[in-house]
Amino acid sequence: MTMQDCLFCKIVRKEIPAAVVFEDETVVAFLDIKPVNPGHVLVVPRAHAADYASTDDASLRDIAVVAKCVGQAVMRSLQAPGFNIGVNNGRAAGQLVDHMHLHVMPRFEGDGYELWHGKPYAEGEMQEVAEKLKTALG
């Protein structure tokens, strides 16, 4: 996919409509069209990056700061007692649009949205995984 074909690049360039709630020189934030709850916002860099792992550090910092402000606004304006921040990196993680985007999802008691279910490590597995990650992180 090229940047010309990218759905979120088209939103950033104002070629297709979106309910934009914030924009500055590096970041655009707009309402998700299929929200977890009303007020679910996507925060994207203006510069195209396919996913979280390939986004430059400066853009990640900008997105994180905007996401914090959006989360605070969600709590104030929608009386949401909390919010989740999420990123899906790659198809296996549920990423549907190949442009880095961070979700800010308002949360309410009993809203029915569930987080993932964890399971304990097998005997010795935690240490093995930790060592692999330490090696990869260098």
Side-chain angles (χ1 to χ4, degrees):
M1 176 191 333
T2 68
M3 290 186 303
Q4 293 305 110
D5 300 326
C6 173
L7 175 66
F8 290 170
C9 285
K10 288 178 180 181
I11 289 172
V12 166
R13 293 190 305 261
K14 299 185 186 312
E15 294 172 3
I16 59 175
V20 174
V21 298
F22 175 86
E23 60 184 314
D24 66 13
E25 60 279 351
T26 61
V27 175
V28 177
F30 51 91
L31 293 179
D32 192 309
I33 62 170
K34 191 176 175 189
V36 168
N37 281 313
H40 178 164
V41 173
L42 301 179
V43 182
V44 307
R46 284 187 180 275
H48 181 83
D51 56 25
Y52 185 88
S54 64
T55 303
D56 67 90
D57 292 350
S59 292
L60 289 176
R61 283 189 288 275
D62 292 345
I63 292 164
V65 170
V66 170
K68 174 185 172 186
C69 294
V70 168
Q72 292 168 332
V74 158
M75 291 179 72
R76 275 193 318 271
S77 66
L78 303 176
Q79 288 75 52
F83 62 91
N84 287 111
I85 292 180
V87 175
N88 304 331
N89 191 88
R91 291 291 183 267
Q95 183 177 359
L96 301 177
V97 178
D98 293 329
H99 185 118
M100 165 46 194
H101 55 288
L102 187 149
H103 297 258
V104 179
M105 299 163 279
R107 295 302 308 279
F108 301 90
E109 295 295 328
D111 63 11
Y113 179 68
E114 294 184 29
L115 297 177
W116 53 91
H117 302 281
K119 61 181 181 180
Y121 283 102
E123 183 68 35
E125 184 182 20
M126 182 183 279
Q127 294 76 17
E128 181 182 323
V129 170
E131 287 306 315
K132 285 180 181 179
L133 288 171
K134 281 193 238 179
T135 299
L137 289 167

